[in-house]
Amino acid sequence: MNWYGPLFALASLSAGAASSQDFDVDPAGAVSASGDIHLPQVEFRRTWPVLGSWTILDGEEAGGFHTVYTQPSVIEAYLETGSFPDGAVIVKELRSAATGSYTTGTAAHATELEGWFVMVKDTQGRFADNPAWGDGWGWGQFQAGDTLTSIAPDYQESCLGCHVPAQDSDWIYTQAYPVLSETR
């Protein structure tokens, strides 16, 4: 069984929870009825397009590699409207990285899984009493071994600080995602 197995079991218990929130885009089972955020309950690595990738440098070496995914309909909506639709899910997968010399030069690549960041767009303010929600998004961070329990219970303390430079672009570093601005 792959790591998605427990998520599919949970999906059958909470499938109605996310849809009962009346999101415009299906948040892929990433939101419980009480607003708890989890990793999406779909195989996003295989079915969602990559928005872009980041290499985190530690001096001259790559210290981390981040790959960012979203639903195909989110990209279409963003290209049409210039904003993220209600229910959009953005997953940033966090991996260690290795740097080496190759025939093309020095390069870095992703290695071991470390965890994920998950954001869910909320244009309705559905979970005002849940500290993981605010500024138009639900925010979560997960370690590799636990896809259901966020280690960032309060987005203002755990998440927002890193996103302040992207406040004017709905808290997302859209300049790093060419698919949001290019059609070919």
Side-chain angles (χ1 to χ4, degrees), residues 31-173:
V31 182
S32 74
S34 62
D36 293 332
I37 297 173
H38 342 283
L39 201 63
Q41 298 171 13
V42 298
E43 293 193 27
F44 61 88
R45 284 190 197 122
R46 294 187 182 121
T47 59
W48 290 7
V50 172
L51 283 178
S53 297
W54 297 78
T55 301
I56 309 304
L57 298 179
D58 184 9
E60 303 252 340
E61 301 285 316
F65 197 86
H66 300 175
T67 304
V68 183
Y69 302 87
T70 195
Q71 306 103 307
S73 61
V74 170
I75 295 171
E76 293 171 22
Y78 189 91
L79 290 172
E80 186 176 310
T81 67
S83 61
F84 293 98
D86 188 50
V89 179
I90 296 177
V91 177
K92 180 166 56 170
E93 183 175 77
L94 313 171
R95 290 188 173 268
S96 300
T99 305
S101 294
Y102 298 89
T103 56
T104 56
T106 303
H109 63 89
T111 59
E112 295 85 27
L113 178 65
E114 294 181 351
W116 304 270
F117 288 107
V118 176
M119 294 176 69
V120 181
K121 184 66 179 169
D122 178 22
T123 63
Q124 308 298 313
R126 293 171 179 85
F127 304 106
D129 294 334
N130 186 323
W133 293 81
D135 286 301
W137 292 91
W139 311 68
Q141 181 182 0
F142 304 88
Q143 294 177 323
D146 187 351
T147 61
L148 299 175
T149 308
S150 176
I151 61 171
D154 185 325
Y155 88 99
Q156 289 181 328
E157 294 176 15
S158 304
C159 305
L160 201 58
C162 290
H163 288 259
V164 167
Q167 182 175 358
D168 291 340
S169 56
D170 199 12
W171 305 99
I172 305 295
Y173 291 92

